[in-house]
Amino acid sequence: MTSALRRRTAAGAVLAVAVCGLPGSAAAQSGHTQNGTPDATSSAQSAAQSTGEATAAAKQQKDKRHGQDKKKPGKKTAPGEILGSQPSSFQYTPGQPTPTKAWTINYRSTSADGRPNAVSGTVIVPDDGRTTPRPLITYAVGTVGLGDKCAPSAGFPGGTTAEAPLVNAALVRGYAVVVTDYEGLGTPGDHTYMVARAQGSAVLDAARAAQRHPEAAKYGVAAEAPVGIMGYSQGGGASAKAAEMAATYAPELKVKGTASGGVPADLAKVAESLEGSGSAGYLLMSAVGQNAAYPALKLDRYLNDEGRKLADVVRNECVGMALEAGRGKTIEDVTTSNPLERSAWQQAVAEQLIGTERPSAPTFLYHGDADETIPHAVGQKLRADWCAKGHAVEWKSFAGQSHVGTAIQGNGPALEWLGQRFAGQPTSGNCGT
């Protein structure tokens, strides 16, 4: 059965072209013209007109998924405490059930400013008869969008979550996996997209919650088991920040290593490469995410009519429509004045820099040298920063690979590297080469 699952995983991996919302997912998540070509203008207008319906639909989905959640985060709950749980299921592609058990959970985490919040996610375990402790991977997905309907937990039962084939590759190795929806993606409020500390907390607290799940415990998810952290693109940033935070924020977790790919470690550098491009929609998504974490930034003060219309699309839709709506836009196109010229915004962006702290466990970093979304140099700089701190970094550059191509090509080596860490094999990295 395992070999058959591995073959299906390899075949299903082609679906990961939708990962991180790059070309491939836009067609699945936005409107089309009659000839099958996504129409950015009509998509944006349609989304803006249907904001009310989208918000209501997202709320209905959220209520259905988390109908058993009764507790609210507060002083009486600790990070990682389960606030609610209900059975779910996992398909790596539509119509492909897997031999797994899954639960959608709500759990306590921490916002960027230190306040308690509630985050949703999914715990998935192989239904293979194993009851003894097994490795757990806390997995951070790439960009899916800011609308609640886009949350990974919403798509797993039907096999529509873009990175499900990559998650399945961990499951067929016998690992348990917990996938966070991040703050505000599946729970109330705007998603704090690209806010490093909020994302890192969500990733670490997902692992804590999985280890406290009584049903998952029957399948070997246990506090004494080794933990790996993993993610690509947005998930690469979330996992890399979690690696920096683990020793102080969640010291009880037995983190053996972190595999992070396509890491947007420096948002300012990423913004420079994206403005006015086909992927410019990521910039407005990030602006909405920063504003969600830091309301004092008052994003709406800077947006013009076009910017406000696009912000409504971004807040309520999935990544394909957000990218189509923002295609080719510059900051000047959507604002009355550039917020990035203001000190408060500059400080907020600077706070998201990754590479300022040394992780407590080894890391595997990978990046495509033809990455058109997150410059290869940004990944190289993160490697240099961690290496300068004496950290054990295993760096792999994928020659000629795009952003999406590297997500697919790097998944296997990343899991292989984590498997070596779970097995207790030492690594010193390759900083000297």
Side-chain angles (χ1 to χ4, degrees), residues 321-339:
M321 185 168 286
L323 287 179
E324 289 299 329
R327 183 177 298 277
K329 299 292 185 183
T330 64
I331 293 175
E332 184 179 29
D333 291 334
V334 298
T335 63
T336 56
S337 63
N338 188 346

Side-chain angles (χ1 to χ4, degrees), residues 247-329:
T248 54
Y249 183 79
E252 79 280 11
L253 293 177
K254 294 177 171 55
V255 176
K256 300 301 182 181
T258 298
S260 301
V263 180
D266 187 335
L267 295 189
K269 294 295 184 183
V270 175
E272 289 176 7
S273 71
L274 290 179
E275 186 179 7
S277 74
S279 298
Y282 286 128
L283 295 182
L284 190 53
M285 294 173 68
S286 183
V288 170
Q290 300 302 317
N291 191 73
Y294 312 108
L297 293 175
K298 299 186 183 301
L299 174 63
D300 286 346
R301 286 187 177 180
Y302 299 92
L303 298 177
N304 58 23
D305 289 344
E306 177 71 6
R308 284 189 288 272
K309 182 177 70 173
L310 293 181
D312 282 340
V313 175
V314 163
R315 287 188 172 100
N316 295 289
E317 297 299 334
C318 297
V319 63
M321 185 168 286
L323 287 179
E324 289 299 329
R327 183 177 298 277
K329 299 292 185 183

